[in-house]
Amino acid sequence: TWMDTIVMGFFVSATLIGIYEIAWTMASTLAVVSVAINQTLFPKVSELDADDEHGEVRHLLNEGLVFAGMFVIPGLFGALIIGEQILEIYDPAYGRGATILVFLILARLTNAYSGQFINIINAIDHPDAAFRINAVFVAANLMLNLALIPIFGWIGAATATAFSSVIALGLSYYVVDDILNGINVPFVEIGAEVAASLGMSAVVLWLEGAVPMNRFTTVGIVFFAAIIYTSTLLALSRRIRTKVGRVIK
């Protein structure tokens, strides 16, 4: 995951690398739910695999996929609209990393889903498969960074990170699908998250043009957008609404 930064050190200024790392940190913050899900599911999946309960493993994977992108998907939509203003909260010069932020959130979104698959692979005792997937990811990431950064600079680094993450997602999906003899991707719930993000984006787009943008209004818009997204998602998805209700209780 630090391959892009290492290669950029030879071709990109330290200032741009600093902005790049700020954007990567923000993108990574959105994926905290996915990381928590992995840590929670691993021991349970390992226990189920020992009892050959692959049907239940498939169910838990489906549950994990429902929530893996819950924060990252709206984060991606939000970054497309006010990514520049969000980065400028830290420093006005950081706003130039808005495009980078979008690419890195996309990479984090892909990692959120591939991380669920790789976590399952490790939990059901196939570290050899996980190693091969990670080896391909590292090789693709290195080659793409070396090919793109000298030409496109930090845009090339972000593109390489995003594209190699897509490769890891495809491979990890294929491996898990083969080991478990099929998996059920929760497209309905993911679609609800996308739909809620679109509704949130319409509100954010309107607010961006209706209020003067500064640090305080930007933070206010982010919090208001979170409320709009959450309420819309809960209204659209009964399954997510039920799960959230159980957590609150």
Side-chain angles (χ1 to χ4, degrees), residues 26 75 78-79 82-91 101 218 222:
M26 293 183 66
I82 58 170
E84 181 177 352
Q85 292 89 332
I86 291 173
L87 287 171
E88 286 178 350
I89 292 174
Y90 299 94
D91 189 281
L101 179 62
T218 298
V222 169

Side-chain angles (χ1 to χ4, degrees), residues 157-170:
T159 303
T161 299
F163 193 75
S164 55
S165 297
V166 171
I167 293 174
L169 174 61

Side-chain angles (χ1 to χ4, degrees), residues 8 23 38 49 71 74 106 121 130 132 138 157 177 223 246 248:
M8 276 196 299
N38 285 342
D49 178 63
F71 288 170
L106 180 60
I121 292 170
R132 288 194 293 269
V138 170
D177 185 66
F223 277 102
R246 289 177 181 173
I248 293 175

